[in-house]
């Protein structure tokens, strides 16, 4: 049998071997290795998951997709996304030092609610303290720098987390602070600043984490956790335009950008009660909250101009996206005794998400306050047959949602249109069905069909209304983006070999496609079809020598004129490149070494601008660890061969935009010491 690991993101105690989908578990050891390279929480997934887009190396994750669609980020099951005004900042909401493992469920699903059209990325935080004699945990001191330009590339990080078991209750506390220097490319040029969308270079972040648990008796636990993460730019550099025609990337020079520096300010928390032996099953009840503010860089953009405030062309402003979530999850899971092997999961989810986007310097509302309210009952069944060799599953979720928008006035750029509010709603029933079968010992085949859903960024639509006399009830299309995911796969876990292969197709009759119009991305509702293959393998030659790799191939098409024919390839803003990942690990005495390589294959986009064709590139990283008596000393090197390349998103978008022609990071060293106590 495959590893009998329970995947919490699936909201069921069914083991991994009974889930008819591709699931990747990134464990604590892999997280430690990647953080030795200075990786962020989203870098962990992007580096190790073949069909995840390469990151932009910016604060914005726009265009970063999983299987060509947006993933839903969770922290211990709490959603981090802002679907009503999707600003793609949900990858930077937690410090990776607090993450114990990452669960990635590939493909559309609705078990966690809105947003998982590409899959689910669930960050599982550090477990409760279990040491009754004192505190146990670890501390980290780390520094990073470009190998050729030491000075302003220097960054550092200090972090610590520890826990203790006090008997009936336990406590875990953590804190982290990180300062990042400027990034340099492979030719030792400063990489340009994305002044509008936000940067992670030349920034400071700090984060605190707390988890407390109380177990009044066996099988009963009350747990509370809170995570706060804040990242803000230092504002020491301004952007210098590059030149796409000559291949000169965008750079930066010392200077003071105008306005408030871009930032992410996020607080999440949850209170969870878990009790076993309730009507013969397990009862779980969770209340959660999520507060988010994302400030963007400013400018005298045409959209922000208002002659009633300042002469046209002179008004500088900037926006901040704000989202406040409150929700609950209630479910019960147990065996249905009259039917041997039948397990039932039934529950009810509730969510209230209020979002608005304001212009912070002139106190204007760009996206009006918009509230999404939903109730969603669901049922999931799993039937074990043939002594557990065959698992059949099926489920249904009914989403009943209402969007509440008050009367509002658009910006002067759109004609100061008076828009009547409203409360449009939708009802949607989503299904999943699947099966896993142990063909021979340690070889499992699976097949599944699952639906996921999301909103089509209604904030972008509302803020850009430029026709008079409209009202939200009749104008706004709130029908969700429904994605249908069909998948076939094989997984083997036999001795030293672990391998998997999956083929999938994801389809939407009315998908949400990001299209660049007049220098800004808008959302268009077009039919989308994505097909792909994924292969992974790892082999342990001995306890001290392991190697493996992964390969993904994606093809995506869309219907641009609504004639029922898929006539154009999805572009780089909507689908990842084909990718090959290779790695090898060696342990020898007190020394450990990992080499990892990735190759992004070139791609041409049929029907698109040929200037956006992707050239491809290859990167090699290395991590070495010395397990010394006083702690673990690590040296990580990103882009070991100092490859000069342009990031995937920059290379495939906006061929006339010289301000966002960003190179990727050159060779960067990270040195750290971790001590456990």
């Amino acid at each position: 049998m495959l590893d009998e690991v329970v995947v919490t993101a699936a909201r069921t105690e069914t083991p991994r071997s009974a889930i008819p989908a591709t699931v990747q578990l990134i464990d604590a050891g892999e997280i430690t290795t990647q953080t030795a390279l200075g990786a962020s929480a989203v870098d962990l997934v992007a580096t190790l998951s073949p069909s995840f887009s390469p990151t932009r190396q910016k604060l914005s994750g726009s265009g970063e997709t999983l299987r060509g669609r947006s993933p839903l980020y969770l922290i211990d099951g709490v959603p981090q996304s802002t679907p009503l005004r999707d600003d793609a900042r949900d990858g930077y909401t937690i410090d990776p030092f607090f993450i114990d493992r990452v669960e990635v469920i590939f493909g559309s699903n609705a078990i966690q609610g809105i947003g998982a059209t590409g899959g689910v990325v669930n960050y599982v935080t550090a477990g409760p303290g279990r040491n009754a004699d004192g505190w146990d945990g670890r501390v980290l001191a780390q520094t990073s720098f470009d190998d050729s330009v030491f000075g302003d590339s220097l960054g550092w990080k200090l972090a610590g987390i520890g826990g203790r078991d006090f008997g009936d209750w336990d406590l875990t506390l953590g804190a982290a602070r990180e300062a990042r220097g400027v990034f340099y490319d492979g030719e030792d040029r400063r990489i340009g600043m994305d002044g509008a969308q936000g940067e992670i270079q030349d920034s400071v972040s700090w984060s605190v984490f707390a988890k407390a648990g109380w177990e009044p008796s066996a099988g009963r636990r009350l747990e509370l956790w809170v995570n706060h993460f804040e990242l803000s730019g230092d504002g020491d550099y301004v952007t210098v335009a590059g030149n796409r025609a000559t291949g000169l990337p965008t750079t930066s020079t010392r200077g003071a950008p105008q306005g408030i520096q871009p930032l992410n300010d996020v607080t999440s928390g949850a209170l969870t009660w878990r009790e076993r032996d309730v009507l013969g099953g397990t009862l779980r009840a969770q209340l959660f909250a999520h507060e988010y503010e994302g400030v963007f860089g400013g400018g005298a953009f045409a959209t922000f101009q208002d002659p009633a405030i300042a002469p046209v062309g002179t008004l500088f402003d900037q926006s901040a996206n704000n989202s406040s979530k409150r929700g609950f999850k209630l479910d019960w899971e147990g065996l249905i005794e009259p039917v041997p092997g039948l397990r039932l999961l039934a529950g009810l989810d509730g969510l209230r998400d209020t979002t608005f986007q304001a212009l912070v310097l002139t106190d204007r509302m760009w996206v009006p306050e918009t509230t999404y309210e939903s109730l969603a009952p669901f049922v999931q069944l799993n039937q074990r047959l043939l002594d557990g060799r065959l698992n059949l599953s099926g489920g249904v979720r009914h989403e009943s949602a209402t969007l509440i928008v008050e009367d509002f006035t658009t910006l002067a750029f759109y004609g100061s249109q008076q828009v009547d509010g409203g409360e449009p709603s939708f009802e949607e029933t989503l299904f999943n069905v699947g099966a896993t079968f142990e063909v021979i010992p340690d070889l499992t085949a699976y097949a599944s069909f699952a639906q996921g859903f999301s909103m089509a960024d209604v904030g972008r639509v509302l803020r850009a209304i430029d026709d008079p006399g409209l009202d939200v009830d009749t104008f706004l299309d709130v029908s969700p983006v429904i994605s249908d995911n069909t998948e076939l796969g094989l997984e083997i876990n036999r001795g030293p070999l672990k391998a998997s292969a999956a083929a999938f197709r994801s389809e939407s009759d009315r998908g949400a496609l990001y299209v660049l119009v007049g220098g800004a991305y808008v959302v268009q509702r077009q039919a989308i079809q994505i097909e792909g293959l994924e292969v992974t393998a790892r082999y342990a030659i001995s306890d001290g020598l392991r190697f493996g790799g992964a390969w993904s191939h994606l093809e995506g098409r869309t219907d641009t004129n609504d004639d029922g024919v898929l006539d154009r390839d999805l572009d780089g803003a909507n689908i990842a490149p084909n990718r090959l990942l290779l790695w090898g690990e060696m342990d020898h005495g007190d020394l450990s070494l990992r080499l990892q390589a990735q190759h992004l294959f070139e791609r041409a986009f049929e029907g698109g601008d040929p200037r956006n064709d992707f050239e491809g590139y290859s990167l090699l990283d290395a991590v070495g660890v010395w397990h010394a008596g006083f702690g673990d000393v690590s040296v990580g090197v990103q882009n070991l061969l100092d490859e000069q390349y342009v990031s995937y998103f920059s290379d495939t978008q906006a061929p006339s935009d010289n301000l966002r022609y960003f190179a990727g990071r050159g060779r960067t060293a990270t040195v750290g010491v971790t001590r456990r106590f």
Side-chain angles (χ1 to χ4, degrees):
M1 293 289 289
L2 297 175
D3 293 344
E4 296 300 288
V5 177
V6 174
V7 182
T8 60
R11 297 183 67 172
T12 175
E13 294 185 350
T14 301
R16 163 69 193 95
S17 58
I19 299 176
T22 299
V23 176
Q24 181 179 17
L25 302 178
I26 302 174
D27 62 26
E30 293 173 298
I31 294 172
T32 299
T33 299
Q34 297 305 315
T35 53
L37 288 163
S40 67
V42 70
D43 288 333
L44 296 173
V45 183
T47 300
L48 300 176
S49 301
S51 55
F52 198 99
S53 297
T55 68
R56 296 175 64 178
Q57 301 177 5
K58 305 294 184 183
L59 185 55
S60 171
S62 178
E64 295 175 3
T65 60
L66 177 60
R67 287 187 172 178
R69 296 186 185 274
S70 296
L72 172 62
Y73 290 98
L74 307 169
I75 298 177
D76 287 339
V78 175
Q80 306 293 296
S81 61
T82 57
L84 300 181
R85 172 69 276 276
D86 184 9
D87 60 10
R89 293 276 195 88
D90 43 0
Y92 285 91
T93 63
I94 187 171
D95 192 284
F97 197 72
F98 306 146
I99 300 172
D100 187 60
R101 73 177 187 274
V102 184
E103 302 169 338
V104 185
I105 301 179
F106 292 71
S108 305
N109 67 83
I111 195 65
Q112 294 284 358
I114 186 171
T117 53
V120 171
V121 178
N122 185 38
Y123 298 122
V124 180
T125 59
R130 293 301 185 191
N131 187 357
D133 299 324
W135 291 80
D136 64 339
R138 54 198 168 95
V139 293
L140 167 72
Q142 191 176 70
T143 185
S144 298
F145 50 89
D146 182 271
D147 73 316
S148 300
V149 189
F150 186 78
D152 58 3
S153 72
L154 184 65
W156 56 266
K157 180 175 183 176
L158 296 173
I161 190 168
R164 183 170 181 177
D165 183 0
F166 293 92
D168 291 341
W169 67 284
D170 51 75
L171 181 65
T172 302
L173 299 174
R177 185 171 179 85
E178 182 172 6
R180 301 166 187 84
V182 178
F183 298 165
Y184 284 81
D185 65 17
E187 297 178 350
D188 296 333
R189 290 182 293 248
R190 288 195 190 105
I191 294 174
M193 299 286 171
D194 192 334
Q197 297 300 315
E199 274 291 344
I200 55 174
Q201 59 175 329
D202 188 39
S203 69
V204 174
S205 64
W206 65 276
S207 185
V208 291
F209 175 79
K211 179 182 288 186
W214 175 55
E215 297 183 3
S217 61
R220 305 169 75 194
R221 179 175 175 84
L222 181 67
E223 184 173 274
L224 172 68
W225 66 263
V226 177
N227 174 70
H228 177 80
F229 179 88
E230 185 172 329
L231 184 153
S232 60
D234 279 341
D236 297 324
Y237 299 86
V238 294
T239 301
V240 178
N243 189 322
R244 289 179 182 263
T246 63
L248 178 66
T250 303
T251 59
S252 57
T253 188
R254 286 191 177 273
Q258 190 175 353
I260 303 169
Q261 294 310 298
L263 65 84
N264 259 23
D265 189 342
V266 189
T267 303
S268 296
L271 179 66
T272 304
W273 172 255
R274 178 189 179 99
E275 183 171 358
R276 296 189 179 274
D277 200 21
V278 176
L279 300 177
T282 300
L283 176 70
R284 293 177 291 256
Q286 183 186 75
L287 299 174
F288 65 84
H290 177 75
E291 295 289 334
Y292 164 79
E293 180 183 23
V295 177
F296 293 82
F301 305 128
T303 306
F304 295 166
Q305 301 307 301
D306 188 337
I309 301 175
V312 173
T314 66
L315 181 58
F316 180 96
D317 214 338
Q318 60 191 118
S319 73
N321 196 28
N322 292 264
S323 174
S324 178
K325 289 186 183 66
R326 301 291 184 270
F328 69 84
K329 296 181 178 182
L330 178 66
D331 60 63
W332 177 92
E333 182 178 16
L335 294 171
I336 306 303
E337 294 299 339
V339 183
L342 178 63
R343 178 176 290 272
L344 168 68
L345 171 67
L348 177 68
D349 291 349
L351 176 65
R352 179 183 174 88
D353 183 341
T354 299
T355 298
F356 66 90
Q357 188 172 12
L359 298 182
V360 295
L361 300 184
T362 56
D363 196 26
R364 292 178 289 167
M365 194 67 76
W366 193 10
V367 174
E369 186 171 284
T370 305
T371 299
Y372 176 89
E373 294 182 344
S374 73
L375 282 176
F378 63 90
V379 173
Q380 188 76 26
L381 294 169
N382 184 278
Q383 177 68 61
R384 291 171 61 89
L385 299 169
L386 305 179
D387 294 326
R389 290 183 60 195
L390 174 64
N391 287 271
L392 305 177
S393 62
V396 60
R397 179 186 178 100
H398 183 76
E399 194 78 17
S400 178
T402 300
L403 201 68
I404 304 170
V405 185
E406 301 295 332
D407 298 347
F408 68 98
T409 303
T410 62
L411 298 180
F413 176 79
Y414 304 106
S416 299
Q417 306 297 338
Q418 302 291 321
V419 181
D420 293 336
E423 297 186 8
S425 61
F426 70 83
E427 304 271 342
E428 194 70 47
T429 302
L430 301 115
F431 301 91
N432 69 82
V433 62
T436 68
F437 180 66
E438 187 181 39
V439 182
I440 58 176
D442 303 321
L443 175 64
T444 298
Y446 66 85
S448 65
F449 170 83
Q451 294 181 305
F453 77 102
S454 189
M455 300 293 291
D457 199 342
V458 297
R460 286 182 183 265
V461 178
L462 291 172
R463 74 186 189 187
I465 292 176
D466 56 5
D467 292 331
L470 296 181
D471 70 84
V472 170
D473 276 323
T474 58
F475 165 77
L476 187 63
D477 180 5
V478 297
S479 59
V481 177
I482 305 296
S483 56
D484 298 336
N485 188 83
T486 305
E487 185 167 348
L488 298 172
L490 284 171
E491 296 191 1
I492 185 170
N493 186 355
R494 174 171 291 182
L497 175 65
K498 293 183 179 181
S500 66
F504 68 90
R505 172 180 288 181
S506 178
E507 300 174 290
S508 293
D509 291 335
R510 301 187 69 248
L513 193 74
Y514 285 108
V515 178
L516 190 63
V517 177
Y521 283 93
V522 299
V523 178
Q524 295 184 1
R525 303 298 299 270
Q526 300 179 7
I528 295 173
Q529 178 178 288
I530 301 169
E531 296 179 327
L533 296 171
E534 296 163 346
V535 178
T536 67
R538 61 180 296 156
Y539 189 83
I541 296 176
S542 65
D543 291 341
L545 185 60
R546 302 168 296 278
F547 66 91
W551 172 77
S552 67
H553 179 86
L554 300 174
E555 296 288 346
R557 303 279 289 176
T558 186
D559 179 2
T560 59
N561 56 10
D562 199 27
D563 65 352
V565 177
L566 300 171
D567 56 4
R568 179 174 295 182
D569 284 349
L570 294 182
D571 65 9
N574 294 280
I575 197 168
N578 301 327
R579 190 155 64 141
L580 174 67
L581 308 177
L582 297 172
W583 59 267
E585 294 178 335
M586 181 182 69
D587 300 324
H588 181 72
D590 293 331
L591 297 176
S592 298
L593 175 67
R594 177 182 170 98
L595 292 175
Q596 60 185 36
Q598 59 174 309
H599 176 71
L600 279 64
F601 295 91
E602 64 182 23
R603 183 194 286 270
F605 301 96
E606 182 183 344
D609 191 323
R611 294 176 296 174
N612 286 334
D613 290 350
F614 178 53
E615 296 181 359
Y617 57 82
S618 300
L619 300 176
L620 178 66
D621 303 329
V623 178
V625 181
W626 172 39
H627 305 285
F630 58 86
D632 293 340
V633 180
S634 63
V635 178
V637 183
Q638 294 184 50
N639 193 358
L640 183 66
L641 302 181
D642 213 14
E643 174 79 6
Q644 174 66 20
Y645 66 99
V646 174
S647 70
Y648 176 69
F649 189 86
S650 291
D651 199 19
T652 59
Q653 294 298 303
S656 62
D657 186 355
N658 290 319
L659 286 174
R660 291 187 180 177
Y661 187 49
F662 298 122
R665 296 185 74 175
R667 184 161 50 230
T668 305
T670 301
V671 180
V673 178
T674 302
R675 181 176 176 84
R676 300 183 182 275
F677 60 89

